[in-house]
Amino acid sequence: MAHSLSAKKRIRQNEKRRALNRWRKRAMRDSIKDLLDKVLHASVEDSEKAYRDACAVIDKTAQKGVIHKNTAARYKSRLNARVKAKKAAA
């Protein structure tokens, strides 16, 4: 357990930061799940709109440092491939 005031403050800050990062990552995962659901069950236009929304959330998550920028690029690339496959099948 921390004894100094600065160490105790650092623990409080870390707890807040961790909660915020977990919230951001959860929001990103929710937007990805929404997109994947729309790719399976909705129209091409709805899927493309969900893709743009998901990309915005993924980019914000990477910008804040919650995930690496290359990880964000990989997510977006794979999701875009799903949307394009739906468009080609339609």
Side-chain angles (χ1 to χ4, degrees), residues 3-5 8 11 23 26-27 33 47 49-51 53-54 56 62 69 72 75 78 80-81 83 85-86 88:
H3 294 291
S4 67
L5 290 176
K8 290 177 182 178
I11 289 171
W23 175 81
R26 181 79 259 157
K33 285 180 184 179
S47 299
K49 184 185 180 319
Y51 174 72
D53 295 342
K69 64 177 185 173
Y75 277 132
R78 290 177 181 173
N80 191 28
V83 173
K86 180 179 179 75

Side-chain angles (χ1 to χ4, degrees), residues 53-85:
D53 295 342
C55 282
V57 174
I58 292 170
D59 285 337
K60 285 177 191 171
T61 306
Q63 183 185 16
K64 298 295 183 183
V66 179
I67 61 172
H68 194 271
K69 64 177 185 173
N70 290 352
T71 303
R74 187 175 65 243
Y75 277 132
K76 293 190 318 184
S77 174
R78 290 177 181 173
L79 293 173
N80 191 28
R82 295 259 185 122
V83 173
K84 282 186 177 180

Side-chain angles (χ1 to χ4, degrees), residues 3 9 17 23 32 34-35 43 50 54 73 79-80:
H3 294 291
K9 179 179 178 180
R17 181 60 49 197
W23 175 81
I32 290 172
D34 181 50
L35 168 61
S43 67
L79 293 173
N80 191 28

